[in-house]
Amino acid sequence: MRPGNLLPARTMTVAWSLLLLLALLAWLLVVEQADGMELGPGTMGLDLPLFLLLWVIMMIAMMFPSVAPVAITWARAIGRQSSGAAQAARITQFVGGYLIAWAAFGLVVYGILIVTGNLVGSHPEAGRWIGAGAFLLAGLHQFSPLKNICLHHCRSPVGQLVRYAGYRSHARDLRVGAHHGLYCVGCCWGLMIVLIPLGTMNIAAMAALAVVVFIEKLWRLGPVFSAAVGVAFLVLAVLAPFQSWLLPGLQHSGPSMQPMT
């Protein structure tokens, strides 16, 4: 979707196909796990290790297609410098570093889910305001300097790849993956926060957010699209206190919250 690929078209096609296949497999696992799980506040009964495992699989499903330009180019550089088991180990380190960054953010999300679950359990009306706050944060983040810096990094990775080449060899690929993963977290944490009011295992919401991430990072008008998404989130923040159907992830099973009058 952007001109100036660093790799031949055939190489890009094969690599993209592999990443999309991995993302598809992750989607299948997530959908299977979500089957039968009710949306609601809290951690859905998952303890921390299981939640983090599921969270990482979700990030593979949602983020791998959009991380392709950097991942493919760095993997190609690894391929020029090593082969066989050493090459596989280096690529594994890169992917591991990237997922470690998202797993660290998953710890934050888990803590937020515990707090919101307790709040909504004791004060059901708090759900509408938590949801409004989540949409407001997501909307403001779309216009923040942090979002712009991180989005620029993800959309123009060439300069960072040159910087990565200067890293010392010790655990370099792990560090590269973690560094790029932190930029992705900085770019997309606001989008992930809206899963709290929409439902952490809301497959439709996850798919929509994955499309948003993909378009933001790879479409030439991605920054404009990002701003439009920010406006949409701000509108949802205004509507959330009065429209409980917008907050399936913050409602317990049973009678729904009644709109405020």
Side-chain angles (χ1 to χ4, degrees):
M1 299 174 72
R2 288 179 357 204
N5 287 327
L6 300 178
L7 300 176
R10 182 177 179 181
T11 301
M12 289 294 292
T13 300
V14 173
W16 269 89
S17 299
L18 178 59
L19 283 173
L20 290 176
L21 177 60
L22 291 173
L24 176 60
L25 292 174
W27 274 111
L28 292 175
L29 288 173
V30 170
V31 170
E32 181 180 1
Q33 181 64 36
D35 185 31
M37 294 182 68
E38 295 184 358
L39 298 180
T43 63
M44 300 166 293
L46 301 175
D47 57 16
L48 180 58
L50 183 56
F51 175 85
L52 286 181
L53 175 61
L54 185 58
W55 177 262
V56 168
I57 294 173
M58 288 168 56
M59 293 305 103
I60 292 174
M62 298 175 67
M63 303 301 298
F64 266 29
S66 62
V67 79
V70 173
I72 293 171
T73 304
W74 187 254
R76 181 71 168 178
I78 291 174
R80 293 194 185 103
Q81 301 168 7
S82 57
S83 61
Q87 178 181 344
R90 291 190 60 188
I91 292 176
T92 300
Q93 284 187 54
F94 173 82
V95 174
Y98 181 83
L99 294 178
I100 285 172
W102 275 109
F105 182 65
L107 287 172
V108 176
V109 173
Y110 189 80
I112 294 174
L113 289 174
I114 291 176
V115 173
T116 56
N118 291 336
L119 278 174
V120 175
S122 57
H123 302 87
E125 290 298 314
R128 63 180 80 250
W129 302 111
I130 294 172
F135 286 127
L136 178 62
L137 277 177
L140 294 177
H141 179 251
Q142 292 295 106
F143 299 98
S144 69
L146 174 63
K147 173 78 174 189
N148 292 332
I149 292 172
C150 294
L151 185 58
H152 177 73
H153 167 91
C154 294
R155 288 174 56 83
S156 304
V158 178
Q160 295 299 326
L161 291 173
V162 173
R163 175 185 176 182
Y164 293 156
Y167 279 14
R168 294 182 179 180
S169 58
H170 180 67
R172 177 172 62 179
D173 302 297
L174 182 70
R175 293 166 56 205
V176 169
H179 185 268
H180 186 61
L182 288 173
Y183 268 102
C184 283
V185 172
C187 181
C188 302
W189 70 263
L191 297 174
M192 300 303 143
I193 285 294
V194 302
L195 287 175
I196 294 174
L198 295 178
T200 309
M201 294 302 296
N202 187 329
I203 299 300
M206 289 172 55
L209 292 175
V211 172
V212 170
V213 172
F214 187 86
I215 294 176
E216 278 188 345
K217 292 187 177 182
L218 300 180
W219 189 30
R220 64 184 182 86
L221 297 178
V224 176
F225 178 77
S226 179
V229 172
V231 171
F233 283 151
L234 293 178
V235 171
L236 290 176
V238 173
L239 295 177
F242 312 100
Q243 302 293 329
S244 61
W245 61 271
L246 290 173
L247 310 171
L250 291 172
Q251 299 183 56
H252 288 288
S253 300
S256 61
M257 294 183 296
Q258 295 299 317
M260 291 182 62
T261 58

